[in-house]
Amino acid sequence: MILSDKRILEEIDRGSIIIEPFRRECLGTNSYDVHLGKYLATYKDRVLDAKKHNEIVHFEIPKTGFVLEPNTLYLGVTLEYTETHNHVPFLEGKSSTGRLGIDIHATAGKGDVGFCNTWTLEISVAQPVRVYAGMPIGQLIYFKVEGDIETRYNTKGNAKYNNKTTRPVESMMWKNEF
């Protein structure tokens, strides 16, 4: 089940969902709107290798915006820091961003119970589009968990994305053994 607006507010009051900064006007009927942070990143190399650490270059979005180009993967970050202790958070694009041809995640729309951080966005575009820091970029929805949780993400020793950040984070696939 997806949490309603009233239920999201109750969970925020309980401290099981944390959204910083929280703005009441961003709460939808069953979601919370998140915004593009001021940093983007691109990979240094055009060809990426899943077994190697692929480095990224961070840059700040100017006040005049930044034009995203097709055929380039941009890593963005949400302005909002979130914690979700008893629910499964899902990050989805907003219809308004989709109608501009912006995809905000390639595959990583689901968070884990215990995820405590900003969200790195895997941004691609269908055609050139100018984006701005602070613009609405996606929405979080929260699902109820069935059953007890043995290990929350923020307590896993091998969790790759636990370090608090305000900048996009590159793939850590290279840390896996395969």
Side-chain angles (χ1 to χ4, degrees):
M1 287 205 229
I2 296 173
L3 300 189
S4 68
D5 53 358
K6 287 184 178 183
R7 189 62 191 277
I8 292 170
L9 288 171
E10 289 170 6
E11 296 302 324
I12 288 171
D13 286 344
R14 284 188 186 107
S16 68
I17 293 176
I18 295 171
I19 302 170
E20 296 173 351
F22 176 81
R23 294 185 1 227
R24 180 67 172 84
E25 65 270 16
C26 296
L27 183 64
T29 305
N30 56 308
S31 63
Y32 185 85
D33 288 350
V34 293
H35 302 81
L36 184 61
K38 64 181 180 178
Y39 296 107
L40 291 173
T42 56
Y43 283 97
K44 284 184 178 181
D45 296 323
R46 194 69 182 163
V47 176
L48 304 178
D49 186 331
K51 286 192 173 193
K52 294 182 181 175
H53 183 190
N54 299 285
E55 295 183 31
I56 58 175
V57 177
H58 291 97
F59 57 95
E60 194 168 332
I61 300 171
K63 296 268 188 232
T64 56
F66 180 81
V67 177
L68 302 176
E69 298 287 345
N71 302 314
T72 299
L73 174 63
Y74 297 91
L75 299 178
V77 66
T78 58
L79 175 67
E80 291 81 4
Y81 167 87
T82 67
E83 294 185 11
T84 310
H85 297 288
N86 295 321
H87 301 88
V88 179
F90 271 71
L91 177 65
E92 294 296 335
K94 295 183 62 58
S95 62
S96 297
T97 21
R99 292 173 192 184
L100 290 172
I102 302 171
D103 290 323
I104 65 163
H105 65 75
T107 62
K110 178 193 69 66
D112 287 309
V113 176
F115 178 73
C116 302
N117 214 334
T118 55
W119 291 71
T120 292
L121 310 170
E122 303 132 1
I123 302 172
S124 60
V125 296
Q127 65 187 62
V129 60
R130 185 176 299 276
V131 296
Y132 300 86
M135 68 180 272
I137 196 73
Q139 55 191 347
L140 285 171
I141 55 176
Y142 298 94
F143 286 83
K144 185 176 179 178
V145 174
E146 182 66 33
D148 293 334
I149 299 161
E150 184 175 353
T151 308
R152 286 172 166 72
Y153 187 80
N154 59 331
T155 63
K156 288 175 69 173
N158 64 345
K160 295 187 276 296
Y161 305 104
N162 258 341
N163 295 330
K164 189 174 178 181
T165 182
T166 58
R167 294 176 182 245
V169 177
E170 67 272 30
S171 171
M172 298 292 174
M173 175 66 76
W174 60 275
K175 289 186 174 185
N176 293 320
E177 291 185 32
F178 59 97

